[in-house]
Amino acid sequence: MQCRVCDSKNLELVIDLGYQPWCNHFLKQDEVGKEPFYPLRVLFCHDCATAQLDYTVKKEIMFGDHTYLSGVTKSLSKHFEEVAQEVDRIFGSAWKKKSILDIGSNDGTQLKHFQTLGYEVLGVESSKTTAQIANDAKVPTVNAFFNLDLVNQLDRQFKVINASGVFFHLEELHSVCQGIQKALADDGVFVVQFLYMPSIVENLAFDQIYHEHLLYYSLQTIETLLQRHGLSMFDARLASIHGGSIIAYVTHKEKAAPSERLTQMRQAEKESNFNSIETYQKFQLDIEQLRKENQDYLQSAKAAGKRVYGMGAPVKGNTLLNYFQVGPDLVQGLVEINTLRRGLYSPGMHIPLLMEDELDGSPDVYYVLAWNFKQEILKRYADLIEQGVEFYFPVNPKISA
Ligand SMILES: [Zn+2]
């Protein structure tokens, strides 16, 4: 195994979440028990400090036909709108003709906000069904994996290239970076959003570790990767989405000086000594402690005869359920609003998914797997809380939407 960023072989195991199924494939009844399990382990690179999975589930298995639709979650759509407006406000006036390429464009939610602002848009989406939904909604979308070959075929440059939440599940990392470098106009900006590992660790958001996320970046480590491909970051800010993410602005090497806030964030990361193996070793101990707390809570709820349902069935919830060994004896169903998932079961632990209208009365406890939307959930269900339904957050975020 070589480091995915710097090719070093000097890697060390720091977090071991055992064998887990691929978490984004909820099971049909006849698939239950037949799903394959893969190791879920994080290694630390002693040379460039990048945290990364050692085992790669093939991208064709992972992204052939996923059912996650970004339009479904209100917080996300609003977040995408803000990003579009911010990009256009800061950079848009310098460009005569505005264009954007979105990598991993999903159902086109992000691109619609750019269309509103007068951009010519193009999406690249690997899921056939999802790409079709985007095209039906008049968001031009290519059904493909983004890499250098695709860029050569497109033979176009864009003022904006956007990659939100895909930059850590790229199997062909270097080909993707080369593609971005080539497709980005001279005066263009690459907007990259990624989970910020220091926030993940601070929030104990270990459930962001799953097979799709091959890489876990800090500023230092993503900048190592970008520089290798002739790109450099010149601005960045923290966002609360997904329990702590960074939105960073990147351009061709030496085209723009780093902003003051980026310089400060780099400095803070350095002073906290985040990019050290000790950070990850402590993280592993903290998540073992969290597992104990959750097991204790759910076992005592069971002993008290409480009806416990999971709220939401986010992909990351499966890391949590499998690592905590929480099955249908402890959580009787996962309540979900995405109707594409009606009648399915969670991979590994086999908890049935239920639509809100299939619920037989209110549960005693909602075990909130979508804990990163804590504020939104507490607000939306204020009346249930008033009626005495308990909302338990398996991870208590310091940063939440
Ligand atoms: Zn490395």
Side-chain angles (χ1 to χ4, degrees):
M1 167 92 197
Q2 283 190 349
C3 172
R4 296 173 191 273
V5 169
C6 78
D7 304 334
S8 164
K9 290 188 172 156
N10 196 3
L11 300 164
E12 186 172 337
L13 177 67
V14 280
I15 295 166
D16 190 346
L17 299 175
Y19 277 72
Q20 298 228 9
W22 174 48
C23 60
N24 204 350
H25 182 67
F26 286 83
L27 309 171
K28 298 190 186 96
Q29 193 152 25
D30 61 359
E31 294 172 321
V32 169
K34 293 176 189 156
E35 72 275 31
F37 284 67
Y38 312 97
L40 187 57
R41 293 186 297 241
V42 179
L43 307 185
F44 176 82
C45 174
H46 282 287
D47 286 315
C48 75
T50 304
Q52 54 201 286
L53 296 191
D54 64 344
Y55 187 87
T56 309
V57 178
K58 289 272 163 242
K59 66 182 190 302
E60 289 77 11
I61 296 177
M62 292 202 285
F63 305 112
D65 214 358
H66 61 81
T67 54
Y68 170 73
L69 294 179
S70 51
V72 169
T73 309
K74 268 192 201 142
S75 297
L76 272 185
S77 183
K78 188 162 163 287
H79 169 74
F80 285 148
E81 183 179 15
E82 284 166 7
V83 168
Q85 286 170 349
E86 181 176 281
V87 169
D88 190 57
R89 190 176 62 243
I90 303 174
F91 307 103
S93 60
W95 300 319
K96 259 192 220 148
K97 201 174 161 206
K98 304 193 276 194
S99 57
I100 176 168
L101 173 75
D102 192 12
I103 303 171
S105 54
N106 205 285
D107 59 0
T109 304
Q110 176 73 85
L111 286 176
K112 277 179 208 160
H113 294 300
F114 279 98
Q115 280 177 324
T116 307
L117 296 165
Y119 282 68
E120 200 175 285
V121 310
L122 183 67
V124 180
E125 169 54 48
S126 60
S127 160
K128 198 175 161 191
T129 318
T130 311
Q132 190 60 50
I133 291 170
N135 278 310
D136 290 347
K138 300 204 162 45
V139 179
T141 302
V142 183
N143 175 217
F145 288 101
F146 181 87
N147 55 25
L148 183 59
D149 285 345
L150 181 74
V151 168
N152 288 333
Q153 284 168 37
L154 291 176
D155 196 25
R156 272 175 73 181
Q157 285 197 319
F158 298 83
K159 296 297 188 188
V160 183
I161 297 179
N162 184 68
S164 56
V166 294
F167 216 58
F168 40 74
H169 49 223
L170 300 173
E171 193 178 329
E172 304 172 289
L173 189 61
H174 298 294
S175 170
V176 168
C177 291
Q178 287 160 357
I180 290 165
Q181 206 270 346
K182 193 163 180 190
L184 187 66
D186 244 18
D187 59 347
V189 58
F190 170 41
V191 184
V192 58
Q193 296 179 54
F194 56 94
L195 293 171
Y196 186 47
M197 204 50 183
S199 300
I200 299 301
V201 171
E202 189 186 352
N203 264 337
L204 275 184
F206 78 98
D207 54 356
Q208 293 291 352
I209 299 172
Y210 49 84
H211 293 114
E212 287 185 28
H213 296 169
L214 296 171
L215 291 138
Y216 303 87
Y217 295 113
S218 63
L219 280 176
Q220 181 189 307
T221 59
I222 200 167
E223 293 198 74
T224 302
L225 172 67
L226 293 168
Q227 280 159 14
R228 187 174 166 173
H229 295 286
L231 296 165
S232 78
M233 193 181 289
F234 62 93
D235 193 17
R237 70 174 172 87
L238 266 175
S240 64
I241 209 91
H242 300 312
S245 298
I246 277 193
I247 299 174
Y249 297 120
V250 174
T251 188
H252 293 281
K253 209 169 198 166
E254 283 157 22
K255 285 264 180 184
S259 68
E260 202 179 310
R261 64 180 177 179
L262 174 59
T263 306
Q264 283 170 3
M265 283 169 73
R266 283 175 179 161
Q267 192 59 27
E269 194 179 284
K270 202 171 171 191
E271 280 164 13
S272 70
N273 197 30
F274 178 83
N275 294 294
S276 65
I277 194 162
E278 290 79 13
T279 301
Y280 293 93
Q281 288 165 335
K282 181 177 181 297
F283 190 37
Q284 167 86 56
L285 295 175
D286 288 346
I287 60 187
E288 280 168 25
Q289 174 63 27
L290 196 64
R291 171 165 65 176
K292 192 180 173 310
E293 286 168 16
N294 273 262
Q295 267 288 346
D296 289 351
Y297 173 81
L298 289 171
Q299 292 292 355
S300 58
K302 185 184 174 184
K306 289 182 181 168
R307 289 185 351 132
V308 183
Y309 282 88
M311 170 155 287
V315 168
K316 65 191 170 69
N318 290 317
T319 294
L320 188 146
L321 295 168
N322 281 285
Y323 181 66
F324 288 172
Q325 286 292 296
V326 171
D329 59 321
L330 296 175
V331 171
Q332 289 142 38
L334 303 177
V335 183
E336 166 64 63
I337 50 172
N338 181 351
T339 52
L340 291 174
R341 288 175 167 175
R342 189 183 286 274
L344 302 180
Y345 293 81
S346 76
M349 298 315 295
H350 307 155
I351 302 177
L353 268 59
L354 300 170
M355 299 297 116
E356 269 174 338
D357 58 17
E358 292 176 302
L359 259 192
D360 172 23
S362 260
D364 300 307
V365 179
Y366 268 119
Y367 188 66
V368 186
L369 292 171
W371 55 262
N372 52 312
F373 295 110
K374 185 172 181 179
Q375 299 311 327
E376 187 181 313
I377 285 167
L378 289 177
K379 212 193 280 174
R380 195 193 309 159
Y381 296 101
D383 52 336
L384 283 184
I385 295 167
E386 185 90 342
Q387 289 161 33
V389 178
E390 190 183 339
F391 281 66
Y392 187 83
F393 292 84
V395 177
N396 262 299
K398 289 182 184 131
I399 309 165
S400 92

